[in-house]
Amino acid sequence: MSSLASDSHTWNLVYLQLLLEELGHEVTNLGACVPDDVLVATCTRQSPDLIVISSVNGHGFQEGERVIHALRAQPSLAATPIVIGGKLGTAGSDPCQSRTLIDAGYDAVFEDGAAGVVSFRSFVAALPAGAH
């Protein structure tokens, strides 16, 4: 799990780490302000079962689109589930942005708020058994 290069928030990452651990997953939390090349190199080296990108600063859409292209360019990550969520834009929820991110290569996009957390929990629960 990681934030994006411009996002210095950490509380969201701590919350998601605790949530994923509660659901039985081992978590590598890369922290805040992670450069794209560090994220790609770490994911390529560790071969995770799931990559979670979290954004709070409102730049998740722009940076998330760039990051997914870099991650999907790695053959070893082509089939890895990759999701993004949080505050993806400064103007609030935008279904067009979510669709664009899915089309770019994310497996799911989760909006900021309680409904997003419920959807994220359901997504994680539906992962194959080997992903636990």
Side-chain angles (χ1 to χ4, degrees):
M1 95 170 15
S2 176
S3 73
L4 296 160
S6 74
D7 201 325
S8 64
H9 295 88
T10 57
W11 60 266
N12 53 317
L13 299 172
V14 171
Y15 175 82
L16 287 170
Q17 179 175 345
L18 292 172
L19 175 63
L20 286 164
E21 289 173 345
E22 177 184 299
L23 295 171
H25 295 270
E26 183 179 324
V27 177
T28 299
N29 185 340
L30 299 181
C33 296
V34 178
D36 296 1
D37 60 335
V38 172
L39 174 62
V40 171
T42 302
C43 291
T44 301
R45 184 177 62 253
Q46 292 188 355
S47 299
D49 295 321
L50 171 67
I51 299 171
V52 178
I53 306 295
S54 179
S55 175
V56 175
N57 70 355
H59 300 289
F61 175 69
Q62 292 101 342
E63 289 191 63
E65 193 170 15
R66 182 187 70 235
V67 165
I68 192 63
H69 292 300
L71 290 167
R72 291 294 185 211
Q74 302 302 310
S76 64
L77 301 175
T80 302
I82 305 175
V83 301
I84 189 168
K87 188 174 180 185
L88 301 177
T90 57
S93 178
D94 182 346
C96 291
Q97 288 181 341
S98 295
R99 181 80 255 153
T100 298
L101 291 170
I102 294 288
D103 291 345
Y106 284 98
D107 293 280
V109 176
F110 302 101
E111 296 295 328
D112 190 25
V117 172
V118 170
S119 296
F120 178 70
R121 289 177 74 95
S122 295
F123 181 89
V124 172
L127 290 173
H132 291 272

